[in-house]
Short mmCIF file of all heavy atoms in Angstrom, two decimals:
data_model
loop_
_atom_site.label_atom_id
_atom_site.label_comp_id
_atom_site.label_asym_id
_atom_site.label_seq_id
_atom_site.Cartn_x
_atom_site.Cartn_y
_atom_site.Cartn_z
N THR A 1437 4.88 -195.22 -74.72
CA THR A 1437 4.48 -195.83 -73.45
C THR A 1437 4.79 -194.88 -72.34
O THR A 1437 5.48 -193.87 -72.55
CB THR A 1437 5.29 -197.14 -73.26
OG1 THR A 1437 6.71 -196.85 -73.10
CG2 THR A 1437 5.11 -198.10 -74.42
N ASP A 1438 4.28 -195.19 -71.13
CA ASP A 1438 4.50 -194.28 -70.01
C ASP A 1438 5.97 -194.10 -69.69
O ASP A 1438 6.41 -193.04 -69.13
CB ASP A 1438 3.73 -194.80 -68.79
CG ASP A 1438 3.98 -196.30 -68.47
OD1 ASP A 1438 4.75 -196.92 -69.21
OD2 ASP A 1438 3.41 -196.80 -67.49
N GLU A 1439 6.86 -195.10 -70.05
CA GLU A 1439 8.26 -194.97 -69.71
C GLU A 1439 9.00 -193.89 -70.51
O GLU A 1439 9.98 -193.41 -70.08
CB GLU A 1439 8.95 -196.37 -69.92
CG GLU A 1439 8.47 -197.47 -68.99
CD GLU A 1439 9.01 -198.80 -69.37
OE1 GLU A 1439 9.04 -199.09 -70.64
OE2 GLU A 1439 9.39 -199.57 -68.54
N THR A 1440 8.46 -193.60 -71.72
CA THR A 1440 9.13 -192.60 -72.59
C THR A 1440 8.24 -191.43 -72.87
O THR A 1440 8.56 -190.61 -73.69
CB THR A 1440 9.57 -193.25 -73.89
OG1 THR A 1440 8.41 -193.80 -74.57
CG2 THR A 1440 10.58 -194.39 -73.66
N HIS A 1441 7.13 -191.33 -72.17
CA HIS A 1441 6.14 -190.25 -72.45
C HIS A 1441 6.76 -188.91 -72.22
O HIS A 1441 7.46 -188.67 -71.20
CB HIS A 1441 4.91 -190.53 -71.54
CG HIS A 1441 3.91 -189.36 -71.68
ND1 HIS A 1441 3.39 -189.00 -72.86
CD2 HIS A 1441 3.34 -188.59 -70.69
CE1 HIS A 1441 2.47 -188.02 -72.64
NE2 HIS A 1441 2.51 -187.73 -71.38
N ASP A 1442 6.50 -187.96 -73.14
CA ASP A 1442 6.94 -186.60 -72.99
C ASP A 1442 5.77 -185.64 -73.03
O ASP A 1442 5.11 -185.45 -74.07
CB ASP A 1442 7.91 -186.24 -74.16
CG ASP A 1442 8.54 -184.89 -74.04
OD1 ASP A 1442 7.85 -183.95 -73.67
OD2 ASP A 1442 9.72 -184.74 -74.41
N GLU A 1443 5.39 -185.13 -71.86
CA GLU A 1443 4.15 -184.38 -71.73
C GLU A 1443 4.14 -183.13 -72.65
O GLU A 1443 3.12 -182.79 -73.21
CB GLU A 1443 3.95 -183.97 -70.25
CG GLU A 1443 2.53 -183.42 -69.97
CD GLU A 1443 1.45 -184.47 -70.05
OE1 GLU A 1443 1.78 -185.64 -69.91
OE2 GLU A 1443 0.29 -184.10 -70.20
N ALA A 1444 5.33 -182.54 -72.77
CA ALA A 1444 5.38 -181.26 -73.60
C ALA A 1444 5.08 -181.62 -75.09
O ALA A 1444 4.34 -180.89 -75.74
CB ALA A 1444 6.76 -180.68 -73.45
N LEU A 1445 5.66 -182.72 -75.54
CA LEU A 1445 5.38 -183.11 -76.96
C LEU A 1445 3.93 -183.54 -77.11
O LEU A 1445 3.27 -183.19 -78.13
CB LEU A 1445 6.33 -184.25 -77.37
CG LEU A 1445 7.80 -183.93 -77.59
CD1 LEU A 1445 8.56 -185.20 -77.94
CD2 LEU A 1445 7.92 -183.00 -78.78
N PHE A 1446 3.46 -184.26 -76.15
CA PHE A 1446 2.03 -184.73 -76.22
C PHE A 1446 1.06 -183.56 -76.30
O PHE A 1446 0.07 -183.61 -77.02
CB PHE A 1446 1.78 -185.61 -74.98
CG PHE A 1446 0.42 -186.26 -75.04
CD1 PHE A 1446 0.09 -187.18 -76.02
CD2 PHE A 1446 -0.48 -186.13 -73.97
CE1 PHE A 1446 -1.11 -187.87 -76.02
CE2 PHE A 1446 -1.69 -186.79 -73.98
CZ PHE A 1446 -2.03 -187.65 -75.02
N ASN A 1447 1.38 -182.49 -75.56
CA ASN A 1447 0.42 -181.38 -75.52
C ASN A 1447 0.47 -180.53 -76.78
O ASN A 1447 -0.41 -179.68 -76.93
CB ASN A 1447 0.80 -180.47 -74.32
CG ASN A 1447 0.39 -181.12 -72.98
OD1 ASN A 1447 -0.48 -181.88 -72.95
ND2 ASN A 1447 1.06 -180.69 -71.97
N LYS A 1448 1.39 -180.83 -77.68
CA LYS A 1448 1.39 -180.12 -79.00
C LYS A 1448 0.39 -180.74 -79.94
O LYS A 1448 0.09 -180.14 -80.98
CB LYS A 1448 2.81 -180.21 -79.57
CG LYS A 1448 3.84 -179.36 -78.85
CD LYS A 1448 5.27 -179.44 -79.49
CE LYS A 1448 6.24 -178.61 -78.75
NZ LYS A 1448 7.61 -178.69 -79.35
N ILE A 1449 -0.12 -181.95 -79.61
CA ILE A 1449 -1.12 -182.58 -80.41
C ILE A 1449 -2.47 -181.83 -80.22
O ILE A 1449 -2.76 -181.47 -79.04
CB ILE A 1449 -1.26 -184.05 -80.09
CG1 ILE A 1449 0.05 -184.77 -80.20
CG2 ILE A 1449 -2.34 -184.72 -80.92
CD1 ILE A 1449 0.07 -186.17 -79.66
N PRO A 1450 -3.28 -181.58 -81.22
CA PRO A 1450 -4.59 -181.04 -81.00
C PRO A 1450 -5.34 -181.82 -79.91
O PRO A 1450 -5.32 -183.08 -79.92
CB PRO A 1450 -5.26 -181.07 -82.33
CG PRO A 1450 -4.15 -181.08 -83.34
CD PRO A 1450 -3.03 -181.81 -82.61
N GLU A 1451 -6.00 -181.09 -78.99
CA GLU A 1451 -6.59 -181.76 -77.80
C GLU A 1451 -7.58 -182.87 -78.19
O GLU A 1451 -7.62 -183.92 -77.54
CB GLU A 1451 -7.28 -180.76 -76.95
CG GLU A 1451 -7.80 -181.30 -75.64
CD GLU A 1451 -8.43 -180.21 -74.75
OE1 GLU A 1451 -8.34 -179.01 -75.15
OE2 GLU A 1451 -8.91 -180.59 -73.66
N GLU A 1452 -8.33 -182.68 -79.29
CA GLU A 1452 -9.32 -183.64 -79.65
C GLU A 1452 -8.75 -185.01 -80.18
O GLU A 1452 -9.39 -185.94 -80.25
CB GLU A 1452 -10.28 -183.13 -80.70
CG GLU A 1452 -9.67 -182.78 -82.06
CD GLU A 1452 -9.02 -181.46 -82.17
OE1 GLU A 1452 -8.85 -180.75 -81.13
OE2 GLU A 1452 -8.68 -181.04 -83.28
N ARG A 1453 -7.43 -184.94 -80.46
CA ARG A 1453 -6.72 -186.16 -80.89
C ARG A 1453 -5.89 -186.81 -79.83
O ARG A 1453 -5.34 -187.85 -80.13
CB ARG A 1453 -5.91 -185.81 -82.15
CG ARG A 1453 -6.69 -185.51 -83.38
CD ARG A 1453 -5.92 -185.27 -84.66
NE ARG A 1453 -4.52 -185.40 -84.69
CZ ARG A 1453 -3.68 -184.52 -85.28
NH1 ARG A 1453 -4.17 -183.48 -85.95
NH2 ARG A 1453 -2.36 -184.75 -85.30
N ARG A 1454 -5.75 -186.19 -78.69
CA ARG A 1454 -4.96 -186.82 -77.67
C ARG A 1454 -5.69 -187.98 -76.98
O ARG A 1454 -6.83 -187.86 -76.62
CB ARG A 1454 -4.60 -185.80 -76.56
CG ARG A 1454 -3.65 -184.75 -77.01
CD ARG A 1454 -3.35 -183.77 -75.84
NE ARG A 1454 -3.21 -182.40 -76.34
CZ ARG A 1454 -3.50 -181.31 -75.62
NH1 ARG A 1454 -4.01 -181.43 -74.42
NH2 ARG A 1454 -3.33 -180.16 -76.19
N ARG A 1455 -4.94 -189.10 -76.84
CA ARG A 1455 -5.59 -190.31 -76.24
C ARG A 1455 -4.64 -190.83 -75.16
O ARG A 1455 -3.46 -190.93 -75.37
CB ARG A 1455 -5.88 -191.35 -77.30
CG ARG A 1455 -6.82 -190.96 -78.35
CD ARG A 1455 -8.26 -190.87 -77.87
NE ARG A 1455 -9.18 -190.65 -78.97
CZ ARG A 1455 -9.53 -189.41 -79.48
NH1 ARG A 1455 -8.91 -188.36 -78.91
NH2 ARG A 1455 -10.33 -189.31 -80.45
N VAL A 1456 -5.29 -191.27 -74.08
CA VAL A 1456 -4.58 -191.96 -73.01
C VAL A 1456 -5.29 -193.24 -72.76
O VAL A 1456 -6.52 -193.27 -72.58
CB VAL A 1456 -4.50 -191.13 -71.67
CG1 VAL A 1456 -3.72 -191.92 -70.67
CG2 VAL A 1456 -3.87 -189.85 -71.91
N ALA A 1457 -4.60 -194.41 -72.86
CA ALA A 1457 -5.29 -195.73 -72.75
C ALA A 1457 -4.34 -196.74 -72.14
O ALA A 1457 -3.25 -196.37 -71.64
CB ALA A 1457 -5.70 -196.16 -74.24
N ARG A 1458 -4.71 -197.95 -72.18
CA ARG A 1458 -3.86 -199.07 -71.78
C ARG A 1458 -3.51 -199.93 -73.01
O ARG A 1458 -4.24 -199.97 -73.94
CB ARG A 1458 -4.61 -199.99 -70.74
CG ARG A 1458 -5.27 -199.29 -69.59
CD ARG A 1458 -4.21 -198.60 -68.71
NE ARG A 1458 -3.30 -199.59 -68.04
CZ ARG A 1458 -2.37 -199.20 -67.16
NH1 ARG A 1458 -2.15 -197.92 -66.89
NH2 ARG A 1458 -1.56 -200.14 -66.63
#
Side-chain angles (χ1 to χ4, degrees):
T1437 64
D1438 50 1
E1439 294 172 320
T1440 59
H1441 176 54
D1442 185 321
E1443 193 69 22
L1445 287 176
F1446 188 59
N1447 287 335
K1448 292 181 180 180
I1449 303 167
E1451 187 174 358
E1452 68 275 9
R1453 289 182 5 219
R1454 290 180 217 150
R1455 297 288 186 273
V1456 181
R1458 308 295 297 181

